Amino acid sequence: MTSPDPGSNRMVATPPLLICEHCDTVYRRRELACGEVARCLRCDAVLERYQRLGPGAMLALVLTALVVFVQANVWPIVTLGFNGQLISTTLWGAIMMMWHEHSQVVSVLAAGTLFFFPLCKMLLLGWVLLFARRGQRAPGFRLAMVTLYRLGPWTMSEVFVLGAMVAIVKAHVYFDVILNPGIFAYAALTLLITIFAGIDLRRLWDLTPEGAP
């Protein structure tokens, strides 16, 4: 899709250039058509994909994800029944239960990867996109973009949903299991996070030129 820039092997800040983050090969960027993918000729890594969503559409997705995120953390996840007794819990109820059962490390990891990191990522992304839809860079744009890149591997809602479904199937052998709205909200949140994962946020550097009014 692209060809190497013959005159440079170093990182250049010129907007028309595209650099492979795996082997540092420099290419001249061109606009991709729908469905096109740019790959590195040296290491075959994906350089860029066609982006159908603009900043306005991405901001709408972030706001939707925030609404779903609140619902997922407010509503109970699952209800277990045994001998006529019903017990339901939310995500935070499960985290606090692990804390009181002397599993502090697990509870801290769960709180970080399932609540604080995803919330921080959505708030930062919303802040950046709020200005990007007007062609401007948000205050603290560089720090926000670096933080978003670092937070990427630490949002594990999809792992939680998969683990919860496995646990529910196993628990069904011993308990009466009732799925509550919280688990469906987390499933919807996982779908939205999967959509975000396919969006190349690096384009925001080009969509919001430095010094733009």
Side-chain angles (χ1 to χ4, degrees):
M1 296 302 175
T2 54
S3 57
D5 181 56
S8 175
N9 285 322
R10 296 174 299 174
M11 182 173 291
V12 183
T14 308
L17 299 183
L18 185 64
I19 303 171
C20 177
E21 62 183 25
H22 299 280
C23 66
D24 294 332
T25 305
V26 182
Y27 297 88
R28 293 195 182 278
R29 172 185 278 145
R30 70 170 178 83
E31 290 297 324
L32 299 178
C34 181
E36 282 189 326
V37 178
R39 290 184 175 273
C40 177
L41 296 177
R42 178 180 293 178
C43 66
D44 200 41
V46 175
L47 300 174
E48 195 173 27
R49 298 179 184 274
Y50 170 78
Q51 298 294 330
R52 180 176 301 177
L53 299 179
M58 286 190 285
L59 180 60
L61 277 177
V62 171
L63 295 178
T64 303
L66 279 171
V67 173
V68 176
F69 180 81
V70 171
Q71 295 171 338
N73 284 276
V74 171
W75 291 337
I77 297 173
V78 67
T79 297
L80 299 179
F82 185 73
N83 288 337
Q85 296 183 346
L86 298 177
I87 301 176
S88 62
T89 184
T90 62
L91 173 66
W92 273 104
I95 291 174
M96 295 306 299
M97 186 180 301
M98 288 188 291
W99 179 273
H100 293 304
E101 291 295 328
H102 307 291
S103 298
Q104 286 84 0
V105 175
V106 177
S107 64
V108 169
L109 287 174
T113 57
L114 299 177
F115 184 83
F116 291 109
F117 293 155
L119 179 61
C120 183
K121 183 175 181 179
M122 287 184 287
L123 291 177
L124 281 176
L125 188 55
W127 172 254
V128 170
L129 291 173
L130 185 63
F131 289 85
R133 63 194 296 264
R134 301 196 298 263
Q136 301 174 353
R137 285 195 175 184
F141 178 82
R142 292 179 180 273
L143 179 60
M145 292 296 289
V146 172
T147 305
L148 284 170
Y149 178 77
R150 300 295 184 187
L151 286 176
W154 292 99
T155 53
M156 300 185 179
S157 298
E158 63 276 12
V159 178
F160 167 72
V161 172
L162 180 60
M165 295 307 296
V166 173
I168 288 171
V169 172
K170 291 186 176 181
H172 190 70
V173 178
Y174 306 100
F175 305 97
D176 296 325
V177 180
I178 303 174
L179 299 181
N180 293 137
I183 192 66
F184 296 107
Y186 257 106
L189 182 62
T190 299
L191 178 61
L192 292 172
I193 290 177
T194 302
I195 296 175
F196 286 135
I199 297 175
D200 188 2
L201 297 179
R202 295 174 298 179
R203 291 304 303 270
L204 292 176
W205 292 93
D206 301 324
L207 295 175
T208 57
E210 192 168 9

